[in-house]
Protein backbone atom coordinates (compact mmCIF):
# COMPACT_ATOMS: atom_id res chain seq x y z
CA UNK A 1 0.00 0.00 0.00
CA UNK A 2 1.46 3.32 -1.07
CA UNK A 3 1.02 6.11 1.44
CA UNK A 4 1.71 9.37 -0.33
CA UNK A 5 1.21 12.68 1.45
CA UNK A 6 -1.72 14.99 0.80
CA UNK A 7 -5.31 13.81 0.86
CA UNK A 8 -4.49 10.13 1.17
CA UNK A 9 -2.31 10.75 4.23
CA UNK A 10 -4.99 12.94 5.83
CA UNK A 11 -7.63 10.23 5.27
CA UNK A 12 -5.38 7.64 6.83
CA UNK A 13 -4.70 9.77 9.87
CA UNK A 14 -8.38 10.61 10.38
CA UNK A 15 -9.42 6.96 10.05
CA UNK A 16 -6.66 5.67 12.34
CA UNK A 17 -7.56 8.29 14.95
CA UNK A 18 -11.24 7.36 14.71
CA UNK A 19 -10.39 3.68 15.26
CA UNK A 20 -8.24 4.47 18.32
CA UNK A 21 -10.89 6.74 19.86
CA UNK A 22 -13.79 4.36 19.24
CA UNK A 23 -11.81 1.36 20.52
CA UNK A 24 -11.15 3.29 23.72
CA UNK A 25 -14.75 4.51 24.05
CA UNK A 26 -16.75 1.49 22.93
CA UNK A 27 -14.37 -1.46 23.03
CA UNK A 28 -13.35 -3.28 19.92
CA UNK A 29 -16.34 -5.65 19.68
CA UNK A 30 -18.60 -2.65 19.00
CA UNK A 31 -16.50 -1.23 16.15
CA UNK A 32 -18.02 -1.14 12.68
CA UNK A 33 -16.83 0.50 9.49
CA UNK A 34 -19.85 2.86 9.32
CA UNK A 35 -19.09 4.04 12.89
CA UNK A 36 -15.42 4.61 12.06
CA UNK A 37 -16.35 6.43 8.84
CA UNK A 38 -18.79 8.75 10.62
CA UNK A 39 -16.20 9.63 13.27
CA UNK A 40 -13.46 10.18 10.69
CA UNK A 41 -15.69 12.27 8.44
CA UNK A 42 -15.25 10.03 5.39
CA UNK A 43 -17.68 7.75 3.58
CA UNK A 44 -17.74 4.04 4.42
CA UNK A 45 -16.87 3.28 0.80
CA UNK A 46 -13.61 5.22 1.21
CA UNK A 47 -12.67 2.79 3.98
CA UNK A 48 -13.82 -0.33 2.12
CA UNK A 49 -11.90 0.77 -0.97
CA UNK A 50 -8.68 1.38 0.89
CA UNK A 51 -8.68 -1.31 3.58
CA UNK A 52 -11.13 -3.92 2.31
CA UNK A 53 -12.61 -4.89 5.67
CA UNK A 54 -12.53 -4.09 9.37
CA UNK A 55 -9.97 -6.77 10.17
CA UNK A 56 -7.51 -5.33 7.66
CA UNK A 57 -8.07 -1.81 9.02
CA UNK A 58 -7.49 -2.97 12.62
CA UNK A 59 -4.34 -4.75 11.46
CA UNK A 60 -3.05 -1.57 9.83
CA UNK A 61 -3.76 0.49 12.96
CA UNK A 62 -2.09 -2.14 15.16
CA UNK A 63 1.11 -2.08 13.11
CA UNK A 64 1.14 1.71 13.29
CA UNK A 65 0.80 1.45 17.08
CA UNK A 66 3.78 -0.91 17.13
CA UNK A 67 5.99 1.57 15.26
CA UNK A 68 8.78 2.77 17.59
CA UNK A 69 8.67 6.53 17.96
CA UNK A 70 12.18 7.03 19.30
CA UNK A 71 15.56 5.47 18.49
CA UNK A 72 16.89 2.92 21.01
CA UNK A 73 18.50 4.49 24.07
CA UNK A 74 22.30 4.80 23.93
CA UNK A 75 24.37 3.54 26.86
CA UNK A 76 27.86 3.62 25.40
CA UNK A 77 28.40 -0.06 24.60
CA UNK A 78 26.76 -2.79 22.55
CA UNK A 79 25.83 -5.11 25.41
CA UNK A 80 24.08 -2.35 27.38
CA UNK A 81 22.32 -0.97 24.28
CA UNK A 82 21.02 -4.37 23.19
CA UNK A 83 20.01 -5.40 26.69
CA UNK A 84 18.05 -2.23 27.25
CA UNK A 85 16.38 -2.50 23.84
CA UNK A 86 15.40 -6.12 24.46
CA UNK A 87 14.05 -5.34 27.95
CA UNK A 88 11.86 -2.58 26.57
CA UNK A 89 10.72 -4.76 23.68
CA UNK A 90 9.61 -7.61 25.94
CA UNK A 91 7.92 -5.21 28.36
CA UNK A 92 5.89 -3.61 25.58
CA UNK A 93 5.13 -6.67 23.47
CA UNK A 94 4.27 -9.08 26.30
CA UNK A 95 1.83 -6.59 27.86
CA UNK A 96 -1.89 -7.16 27.23
CA UNK A 97 -1.96 -4.13 24.90
CA UNK A 98 1.14 -5.27 23.02
CA UNK A 99 -0.24 -8.80 22.62
CA UNK A 100 -3.51 -7.42 21.23
CA UNK A 101 -1.58 -5.33 18.67
CA UNK A 102 0.57 -8.27 17.59
CA UNK A 103 -2.49 -10.44 17.22
CA UNK A 104 -4.29 -7.78 15.17
CA UNK A 105 -1.21 -7.24 13.02
CA UNK A 106 -1.08 -10.97 12.23
CA UNK A 107 -4.80 -11.00 11.40
CA UNK A 108 -4.27 -8.82 8.34
CA UNK A 109 -4.35 -10.40 4.89
CA UNK A 110 -1.93 -13.39 4.87
CA UNK A 111 -0.27 -12.07 1.72
CA UNK A 112 -0.24 -8.50 3.03
CA UNK A 113 2.77 -6.76 4.49
CA UNK A 114 1.46 -5.87 7.95
CA UNK A 115 3.33 -8.57 9.85
CA UNK A 116 6.45 -7.89 7.79
CA UNK A 117 6.29 -4.22 8.82
CA UNK A 118 6.51 -5.26 12.49
CA UNK A 119 9.66 -7.19 11.78
CA UNK A 120 11.08 -4.32 9.71
CA UNK A 121 10.62 -1.95 12.69
CA UNK A 122 12.56 -4.30 14.96
CA UNK A 123 15.28 -4.75 12.33
CA UNK A 124 15.58 -0.98 11.97
CA UNK A 125 16.01 -0.41 15.70
CA UNK A 126 18.57 -3.19 15.95
CA UNK A 127 20.36 -1.70 12.93
CA UNK A 128 20.75 1.58 14.83
CA UNK A 129 22.24 -0.23 17.84
CA UNK A 130 24.66 -2.21 15.66
CA UNK A 131 25.72 0.89 13.67
CA UNK A 132 26.64 2.60 16.94
CA UNK A 133 28.73 -0.43 17.90
CA UNK A 134 30.49 -0.34 14.54
CA UNK A 135 31.28 3.37 14.97
CA UNK A 136 32.93 2.56 18.31
CA UNK A 137 34.86 -0.25 16.64
CA UNK A 138 33.12 -2.94 18.67
CA UNK A 139 32.66 -6.37 17.06
CA UNK A 140 28.96 -7.12 16.63
CA UNK A 141 26.69 -9.81 15.18
CA UNK A 142 24.54 -9.02 12.13
CA UNK A 143 20.93 -7.87 12.20
CA UNK A 144 19.50 -11.21 11.02
CA UNK A 145 21.35 -13.07 13.75
CA UNK A 146 20.02 -10.68 16.40
CA UNK A 147 16.51 -11.24 15.04
CA UNK A 148 16.97 -15.02 15.28
CA UNK A 149 18.60 -15.03 18.69
CA UNK A 150 16.83 -12.22 20.54
CA UNK A 151 13.61 -11.11 18.82
CA UNK A 152 12.37 -14.50 17.57
CA UNK A 153 12.43 -16.28 20.96
CA UNK A 154 10.55 -13.40 22.61
CA UNK A 155 7.89 -13.30 19.91
CA UNK A 156 7.60 -17.11 19.80
CA UNK A 157 6.95 -17.25 23.53
CA UNK A 158 4.54 -14.32 23.44
CA UNK A 159 2.47 -16.09 20.79
CA UNK A 160 2.88 -19.78 21.60
CA UNK A 161 4.38 -20.30 25.02
CA UNK A 162 3.28 -17.70 27.52
CA UNK A 163 5.02 -17.48 30.88
CA UNK A 164 8.58 -16.60 31.83
CA UNK A 165 8.63 -13.46 29.71
CA UNK A 166 10.73 -11.39 32.08
CA UNK A 167 13.40 -8.71 31.65
CA UNK A 168 15.86 -11.35 32.91
CA UNK A 169 14.91 -13.66 30.08
CA UNK A 170 15.40 -10.84 27.53
CA UNK A 171 18.82 -9.93 28.99
CA UNK A 172 19.83 -13.61 28.99
CA UNK A 173 19.09 -13.90 25.26
CA UNK A 174 21.33 -10.90 24.56
CA UNK A 175 24.14 -12.10 26.84
CA UNK A 176 24.13 -15.62 25.36
CA UNK A 177 24.25 -14.21 21.84
CA UNK A 178 27.17 -11.88 22.63
CA UNK A 179 29.06 -14.64 24.49
CA UNK A 180 28.63 -17.06 21.57
CA UNK A 181 29.61 -14.38 19.04
CA UNK A 182 32.73 -13.49 21.03
CA UNK A 183 33.70 -17.17 21.35
CA UNK A 184 33.27 -17.62 17.62
CA UNK A 185 35.61 -14.76 16.72
CA UNK B 1 -11.31 -27.98 27.21
CA UNK B 2 -11.60 -31.53 28.54
CA UNK B 3 -11.79 -34.22 25.88
CA UNK B 4 -13.04 -37.36 27.54
CA UNK B 5 -13.82 -40.45 25.50
CA UNK B 6 -17.33 -41.62 24.67
CA UNK B 7 -19.95 -39.30 23.22
CA UNK B 8 -17.88 -36.14 23.56
CA UNK B 9 -14.96 -37.66 21.64
CA UNK B 10 -17.30 -38.95 18.93
CA UNK B 11 -18.89 -35.50 18.54
CA UNK B 12 -15.44 -33.93 18.26
CA UNK B 13 -14.34 -36.39 15.62
CA UNK B 14 -17.52 -35.99 13.57
CA UNK B 15 -17.33 -32.20 13.70
CA UNK B 16 -13.60 -32.09 12.86
CA UNK B 17 -14.15 -34.44 9.93
CA UNK B 18 -17.06 -32.32 8.70
CA UNK B 19 -14.88 -29.18 8.83
CA UNK B 20 -12.08 -30.87 6.88
CA UNK B 21 -14.44 -32.24 4.23
CA UNK B 22 -16.35 -28.99 3.77
CA UNK B 23 -13.15 -26.93 3.63
CA UNK B 24 -11.92 -29.20 0.85
CA UNK B 25 -15.24 -29.18 -1.02
CA UNK B 26 -16.40 -25.58 -0.60
CA UNK B 27 -13.36 -23.60 0.51
CA UNK B 28 -13.17 -22.01 3.89
CA UNK B 29 -14.99 -18.77 3.05
CA UNK B 30 -18.19 -20.78 2.52
CA UNK B 31 -18.07 -22.60 5.86
CA UNK B 32 -20.82 -21.91 8.37
CA UNK B 33 -21.68 -23.61 11.64
CA UNK B 34 -25.10 -24.81 10.37
CA UNK B 35 -23.38 -26.45 7.36
CA UNK B 36 -20.80 -28.13 9.59
CA UNK B 37 -23.51 -29.29 11.98
CA UNK B 38 -25.62 -30.80 9.20
CA UNK B 39 -22.63 -32.70 7.79
CA UNK B 40 -21.55 -33.91 11.22
CA UNK B 41 -25.08 -34.98 12.20
CA UNK B 42 -25.23 -32.78 15.31
CA UNK B 43 -27.28 -29.67 16.12
CA UNK B 44 -25.74 -26.23 15.59
CA UNK B 45 -26.23 -25.53 19.29
CA UNK B 46 -23.96 -28.48 20.13
CA UNK B 47 -21.20 -26.72 18.18
CA UNK B 48 -21.89 -23.26 19.63
CA UNK B 49 -21.92 -24.70 23.15
CA UNK B 50 -18.64 -26.50 22.74
CA UNK B 51 -16.60 -24.17 20.49
CA UNK B 52 -18.33 -20.80 20.83
CA UNK B 53 -17.90 -19.67 17.24
CA UNK B 54 -16.55 -20.73 13.85
CA UNK B 55 -13.14 -19.12 14.39
CA UNK B 56 -12.59 -21.11 17.57
CA UNK B 57 -13.68 -24.33 15.85
CA UNK B 58 -11.32 -23.70 12.92
CA UNK B 59 -8.53 -22.99 15.39
CA UNK B 60 -9.17 -26.28 17.17
CA UNK B 61 -9.17 -28.23 13.88
CA UNK B 62 -5.97 -26.46 12.78
CA UNK B 63 -4.11 -27.43 15.95
CA UNK B 64 -5.28 -31.01 15.53
CA UNK B 65 -3.92 -30.93 11.96
CA UNK B 66 -0.57 -29.72 13.31
CA UNK B 67 -0.30 -32.63 15.75
CA UNK B 68 2.62 -34.87 14.69
CA UNK B 69 1.44 -38.40 14.04
CA UNK B 70 4.81 -40.13 14.22
CA UNK B 71 7.85 -39.73 16.47
CA UNK B 72 10.88 -37.95 14.91
CA UNK B 73 12.97 -40.20 12.66
CA UNK B 74 16.05 -41.74 14.34
CA UNK B 75 19.43 -41.46 12.60
CA UNK B 76 21.79 -42.60 15.36
CA UNK B 77 23.13 -39.25 16.58
CA UNK B 78 21.80 -36.00 17.96
CA UNK B 79 22.94 -33.71 15.14
CA UNK B 80 21.35 -35.86 12.44
CA UNK B 81 18.13 -36.35 14.43
CA UNK B 82 17.71 -32.64 15.15
CA UNK B 83 18.63 -31.60 11.62
CA UNK B 84 16.14 -33.98 10.08
CA UNK B 85 13.41 -32.92 12.52
CA UNK B 86 14.03 -29.21 11.81
CA UNK B 87 14.07 -29.77 8.04
CA UNK B 88 10.73 -31.53 8.19
CA UNK B 89 9.29 -28.89 10.51
CA UNK B 90 10.22 -26.01 8.21
CA UNK B 91 8.99 -27.88 5.14
CA UNK B 92 5.59 -28.50 6.71
CA UNK B 93 5.10 -25.21 8.54
CA UNK B 94 6.33 -22.87 5.79
CA UNK B 95 4.07 -24.51 3.18
CA UNK B 96 0.84 -22.70 2.28
CA UNK B 97 -1.17 -25.34 4.13
CA UNK B 98 1.07 -25.16 7.20
CA UNK B 99 0.90 -21.36 7.27
CA UNK B 100 -2.90 -21.47 7.07
CA UNK B 101 -3.02 -23.89 10.04
CA UNK B 102 -0.65 -21.76 12.12
CA UNK B 103 -2.69 -18.67 11.36
CA UNK B 104 -5.94 -20.44 12.28
CA UNK B 105 -4.39 -21.80 15.46
CA UNK B 106 -3.37 -18.27 16.52
CA UNK B 107 -6.86 -16.95 15.73
CA UNK B 108 -8.40 -18.95 18.56
CA UNK B 109 -9.36 -17.17 21.78
CA UNK B 110 -6.32 -15.19 23.01
CA UNK B 111 -6.66 -16.74 26.47
CA UNK B 112 -7.26 -20.20 25.01
CA UNK B 113 -4.69 -22.95 24.81
CA UNK B 114 -4.67 -23.60 21.06
CA UNK B 115 -1.39 -21.82 20.31
CA UNK B 116 0.17 -23.36 23.41
CA UNK B 117 -0.77 -26.82 22.14
CA UNK B 118 1.28 -26.20 18.96
CA UNK B 119 4.32 -25.38 21.05
CA UNK B 120 3.71 -28.39 23.29
CA UNK B 121 3.75 -30.68 20.22
CA UNK B 122 7.13 -29.28 19.14
CA UNK B 123 8.51 -29.57 22.69
CA UNK B 124 7.35 -33.20 22.87
CA UNK B 125 9.05 -34.15 19.60
CA UNK B 126 12.27 -32.41 20.63
CA UNK B 127 12.05 -34.17 23.99
CA UNK B 128 12.06 -37.53 22.19
CA UNK B 129 15.17 -36.54 20.20
CA UNK B 130 16.99 -35.33 23.33
CA UNK B 131 16.03 -38.44 25.32
CA UNK B 132 17.59 -40.61 22.61
CA UNK B 133 20.78 -38.52 22.83
CA UNK B 134 20.84 -38.94 26.60
CA UNK B 135 20.47 -42.73 26.25
CA UNK B 136 23.51 -42.75 23.96
CA UNK B 137 25.40 -40.64 26.50
CA UNK B 138 25.64 -37.67 24.12
CA UNK B 139 25.73 -34.18 25.65
CA UNK B 140 22.68 -32.20 24.57
CA UNK B 141 21.04 -28.81 25.16
CA UNK B 142 17.70 -28.62 27.00
CA UNK B 143 14.27 -28.53 25.35
CA UNK B 144 13.70 -24.82 26.08
CA UNK B 145 17.01 -23.88 24.49
CA UNK B 146 16.17 -25.89 21.36
CA UNK B 147 12.82 -24.09 21.21
CA UNK B 148 14.57 -20.71 21.46
CA UNK B 149 17.36 -21.49 19.01
CA UNK B 150 15.67 -23.69 16.40
CA UNK B 151 11.87 -23.53 16.57
CA UNK B 152 11.44 -19.84 17.45
CA UNK B 153 13.48 -18.43 14.53
CA UNK B 154 11.60 -20.63 12.04
CA UNK B 155 8.19 -19.64 13.40
CA UNK B 156 9.17 -15.97 13.67
CA UNK B 157 10.21 -15.89 10.02
CA UNK B 158 7.14 -17.83 8.88
CA UNK B 159 4.88 -15.29 10.57
CA UNK B 160 6.80 -12.02 10.28
CA UNK B 161 9.66 -12.28 7.82
CA UNK B 162 8.88 -14.55 4.91
CA UNK B 163 11.64 -15.58 2.55
CA UNK B 164 14.77 -17.64 3.09
CA UNK B 165 12.90 -20.46 4.81
CA UNK B 166 14.96 -23.29 3.36
CA UNK B 167 16.15 -26.65 4.65
CA UNK B 168 19.65 -25.10 4.71
CA UNK B 169 18.44 -22.40 7.07
CA UNK B 170 16.88 -25.01 9.37
CA UNK B 171 20.07 -27.11 9.39
CA UNK B 172 22.14 -23.99 10.07
CA UNK B 173 20.10 -23.20 13.17
CA UNK B 174 20.71 -26.72 14.50
CA UNK B 175 24.43 -26.68 13.69
CA UNK B 176 24.98 -23.26 15.29
CA UNK B 177 23.17 -24.38 18.43
CA UNK B 178 25.19 -27.59 18.73
CA UNK B 179 28.49 -25.76 18.03
CA UNK B 180 27.73 -23.13 20.68
CA UNK B 181 26.63 -25.79 23.18
CA UNK B 182 29.79 -27.81 22.58
CA UNK B 183 31.98 -24.68 22.96
CA UNK B 184 30.23 -23.84 26.23
CA UNK B 185 30.88 -27.24 27.80
Amino acid sequence: MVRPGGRSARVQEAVHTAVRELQAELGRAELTIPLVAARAGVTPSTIYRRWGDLQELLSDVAVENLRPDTPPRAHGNLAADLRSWAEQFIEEMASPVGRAYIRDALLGAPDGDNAARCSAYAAEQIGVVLARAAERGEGAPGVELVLDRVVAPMMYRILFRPGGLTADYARGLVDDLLDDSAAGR
Side-chain angles (χ1 to χ4, degrees), chain A:
Chain A
M1 206 180 297
V2 184
R3 287 194 187 73
R7 182 168 183 283
S8 174
R10 285 196 305 276
V11 165
Q12 172 173 310
E13 203 190 317
V15 170
H16 276 207
T17 303
V19 168
R20 288 196 191 96
E21 290 176 3
L22 290 168
Q23 270 188 317
E25 293 166 24
L26 306 174
R28 86 100 58 53
E30 303 299 316
L31 275 194
T32 63
I33 288 197
L35 271 177
V36 172
R39 175 67 62 98
V42 303
T43 63
S45 67
T46 299
I47 298 186
Y48 287 116
R49 208 164 39 237
R50 177 148 175 179
W51 282 278
D53 60 25
L54 184 63
Q55 190 161 293
E56 195 61 27
L57 171 57
L58 289 175
S59 174
D60 191 37
V61 172
V63 174
E64 196 58 31
N65 287 338
L66 290 170
R67 187 157 59 87
D69 40 17
T70 53
R73 260 172 262 149
H75 301 273
N77 66 78
L78 174 62
D81 280 10
L82 259 190
R83 269 189 216 123
S84 113
W85 182 82
E87 282 171 28
Q88 202 192 329
F89 185 89
I90 209 168
E91 189 184 316
E92 288 174 7
M93 298 292 167
S95 72
V97 171
R99 283 169 191 270
Y101 290 153
I102 296 168
R103 192 180 150 81
D104 276 342
L106 286 173
L107 294 199
D111 50 354
D113 65 350
N114 283 344
R117 280 163 61 207
C118 297
S119 178
Y121 294 149
E124 220 176 280
Q125 297 280 95
I126 292 165
V128 171
V129 167
L130 299 181
R132 287 182 193 145
E135 271 171 41
R136 285 186 299 255
E138 287 184 271
V143 172
E144 297 297 325
L145 188 57
V146 178
L147 287 171
D148 280 346
R149 295 284 304 263
V150 179
V151 177
M154 293 192 283
M155 289 298 273
Y156 178 74
R157 287 175 186 274
I158 286 169
L159 290 167
F160 293 100
R161 209 168 174 82
L165 286 159
T166 61
D168 262 357
Y169 173 69
R171 270 192 304 272
L173 291 171
V174 169
D175 292 348
D176 288 347
L177 166 61
L178 297 181
D179 285 352
D180 291 339
S181 300
R185 269 197 298 272

